[in-house]
Amino acid sequence: MPDRGVVVPETLVKEKYALFKHEFLEFLFAELVDMRPIFKNDLDTMLIYTAISRYYLRDERVGLSPEDENRGFSIKRIAESTTIPRETVRRKLLELESRGLLEKGPQDEWRIAVKDGLPVIRTEYESQWAREMERVVKFVRALKDHV
């Protein structure tokens, strides 16, 4: 979710655009390359998983439990947020569920599969997750003196 409380001065954007965009694209490129095999080269599957994980991480930041029944998304909501057709979303959710990365909740909502308090993706793909954390730290360090 965008943080509507942060106002970025237009001069900062103009002066630092190339820096910000370069660092973002470096991060995004490495992230996509690293996540590609996890999602079997399928961008739509990655987008669906990411749509759900964004909210999982937001909730994790504020201390909500992974087992909270109110966490999750309907197929309709996922389709709307990703602009992927509902039937495609449904098929890809079932695939992610069969791989143990997502689970369907009691009210047909979809959420990140959690085992021992951690998302399954973090434990099943530990080396990619470690590289992702390194990328996040590098990205933040590259921008911290400029914002």
Side-chain angles (χ1 to χ4, degrees):
M1 276 186 170
D3 185 350
R4 290 179 172 81
V6 175
V7 177
V8 179
E10 189 175 329
T11 55
L12 179 64
V13 173
K14 287 180 180 177
E15 291 170 8
K16 304 289 184 175
Y17 176 81
L19 169 77
F20 294 159
K21 190 66 172 196
H22 170 78
E23 292 299 337
F24 171 73
L25 289 175
E26 287 294 313
F27 174 83
L28 180 62
F29 178 76
E31 186 75 3
L32 291 172
V33 168
D34 220 17
M35 295 296 132
R36 189 172 173 227
I38 294 172
F39 295 100
K40 300 181 179 182
N41 305 326
D42 185 338
L43 180 60
D44 283 351
T45 300
M46 188 185 323
L47 284 172
I48 290 165
Y49 186 88
T50 302
I52 297 169
S53 68
R54 296 172 42 216
Y55 290 92
Y56 172 88
L57 292 168
R58 179 202 64 195
D59 293 349
E60 187 179 83
R61 283 184 8 211
V62 297
L64 293 178
S65 165
E67 290 79 24
D68 184 340
E69 300 239 345
N70 295 320
R71 294 173 68 164
F73 286 93
S74 66
I75 289 175
K76 178 183 177 195
R77 191 167 170 198
I78 296 165
E80 287 172 353
S81 70
T82 61
T83 70
I84 299 169
R86 279 190 199 184
E87 183 55 29
T88 302
V89 169
R90 186 191 68 73
R91 282 193 321 271
K92 293 180 184 295
L93 287 169
L94 292 172
E95 177 199 337
L96 288 165
E97 180 184 40
S98 74
R99 294 180 54 209
L101 296 175
L102 293 180
E103 58 186 28
K104 192 174 187 180
Q107 298 173 356
D108 288 338
E109 77 280 3
W110 289 89
R111 53 190 176 195
I112 300 297
V114 175
K115 183 178 178 184
D116 300 326
L118 289 174
V120 170
I121 198 167
R122 288 188 199 170
T123 56
E124 292 292 317
Y125 299 95
E126 203 169 336
S127 62
Q128 282 98 333
W129 188 74
R131 287 191 302 273
E132 182 176 0
M133 291 303 96
E134 291 172 9
R135 271 194 299 279
V136 168
V137 170
K138 180 181 175 192
F139 181 64
V140 170
R141 284 184 177 152
L143 297 180
K144 75 177 176 94
D145 293 333
H146 304 283
V147 290

